[in-house]
Amino acid sequence: EPEVTQTPSHQVTQMGQEVILRCVPISNHLYFYWYRQILGQKVEFLVSFYNNEISEKSEIFDDQFSVERPDGSNFTLKIRSTKLEDSAMYFCASKQGRETEAFFGQGTRLTVV
Amino acid sequence: AQSVTQPDIHITVSEGASLELRCNYSYGATPYLFWYVQSPGQGLQLLLKYFSGDTLVQGIKGFEAEFKRSQSSFNLRKPSVHWSDAAEYFCAVGPITGGGNKLTFGTGTQLKVEL
């Protein structure tokens, strides 16, 4: 069964460092998302991406964040200068069309120290 | 702004007992509705979805949910819980039109199953 894959599963980084979280969405999907879940809190939307551009972003998704689909298969989230409060589980999701469900990856746990 | 409320943070049931997890939403129109389950250390797995049509929807693992427009609710049910159902359950809503079709999640309900 096709699935969304995320790498790495865990990442520890020092405050101020740049991190790139990687995702391989399901191959025929057209809509891509990043969500995050701070420990003990609910899953929050960060950004959606369609047709090679951001279609919507949340207030969390400030200038420190960027997304890219560099090669037609990968979908990356970059945090330029990590802060302690960026520590969270980051989920990538994809879906085929507007009226379909989103499939989530296993998540990348990011710890900023 | 859309919001989702899951009033029960923790629920404990005995194996074999029935289960109902509550979900209420606030939205300007009927949204798409979803239930996801998250086992420890795992991602989010879709249990079931409601887009339109029959208000009682069946999902995987024996779960079902009923959409009640008048109550803005989408409660999840299972007639007989198994120990492997212990996990965190998230209700989510998504817009039918507009934007990037983002999902708004509730705060989750942690289910514990006693043997």
Side-chain angles (χ1 to χ4, degrees):
Chain A
E1 184 177 327
E3 60 181 16
V4 177
T5 57
Q6 291 185 242
T7 55
S9 55
H10 294 89
Q11 172 118 27
V12 180
T13 189
Q14 294 216 325
M15 192 168 53
Q17 294 297 303
E18 175 183 286
V19 294
I20 297 176
L21 309 183
R22 303 181 190 279
C23 169
V24 179
I26 295 173
S27 62
N28 63 345
H29 285 191
L30 301 176
Y31 294 79
F32 312 107
Y33 304 85
W34 284 100
Y35 291 81
R36 79 172 186 190
Q37 184 183 29
I38 294 172
L39 190 64
Q41 298 185 24
K42 65 180 175 181
V43 178
E44 302 173 287
F45 167 77
L46 291 178
V47 66
S48 59
F49 192 87
Y50 170 72
N51 202 24
N52 285 318
E53 61 183 17
I54 291 174
S55 46
E56 189 174 0
K57 59 184 180 180
S58 71
E59 292 176 353
I60 304 166
F61 195 88
D62 62 21
D63 292 344
Q64 294 300 311
F65 291 86
S66 62
V67 289
E68 198 176 35
R69 189 158 159 78
D71 55 12
S73 61
N74 292 282
F75 181 51
T76 61
L77 175 69
K78 182 194 289 186
I79 309 175
R80 288 190 184 80
S81 179
T82 50
K83 307 181 185 72
L84 294 175
E85 54 264 37
D86 293 328
S87 296
M89 179 75 89
Y90 287 80
F91 291 106
C92 175
S94 70
K95 64 181 196 174
Q96 189 173 33
R98 292 185 67 84
E99 295 189 7
T100 61
E101 65 270 30
F103 291 83
F104 283 77
Q106 299 285 79
T108 293
R109 179 160 296 287
L110 176 66
T111 302
V112 183
V113 297
Chain B
Q2 59 210 52
S3 66
V4 179
T5 301
Q6 294 181 245
D8 304 305
I9 298 173
H10 298 280
I11 282 186
T12 300
V13 298
S14 299
E15 190 176 36
S18 64
L19 172 71
E20 182 168 30
L21 303 183
R22 296 182 290 166
C23 172
N24 292 93
Y25 67 89
S26 173
Y27 196 71
T30 300
Y32 293 153
L33 297 156
F34 307 85
W35 276 97
Y36 284 86
V37 60
Q38 184 180 31
S39 298
Q42 301 295 308
L44 296 162
Q45 181 182 24
L46 180 70
L47 281 177
L48 46 76
K49 62 185 185 283
Y50 173 79
F51 285 171
S52 65
D54 193 346
T55 56
L56 183 64
V57 293
Q58 303 297 320
I60 62 170
K61 305 184 181 185
F63 285 91
E64 66 178 28
E66 185 171 13
F67 167 57
K68 293 186 177 179
R69 187 191 308 273
S70 61
Q71 298 176 18
S72 297
S73 69
F74 189 56
N75 294 349
L76 182 71
R77 300 194 294 248
K78 187 170 184 178
S80 177
V81 169
H82 188 262
W83 64 267
S84 60
D85 293 325
E88 187 151 24
Y89 291 80
F90 293 93
C91 181
V93 302
I96 294 175
T97 61
N101 300 134
K102 69 180 182 186
L103 293 176
T104 299
F105 285 84
T107 49
T109 297
Q110 187 73 45
L111 173 65
K112 181 179 175 183
V113 180
E114 289 182 334
L115 300 176

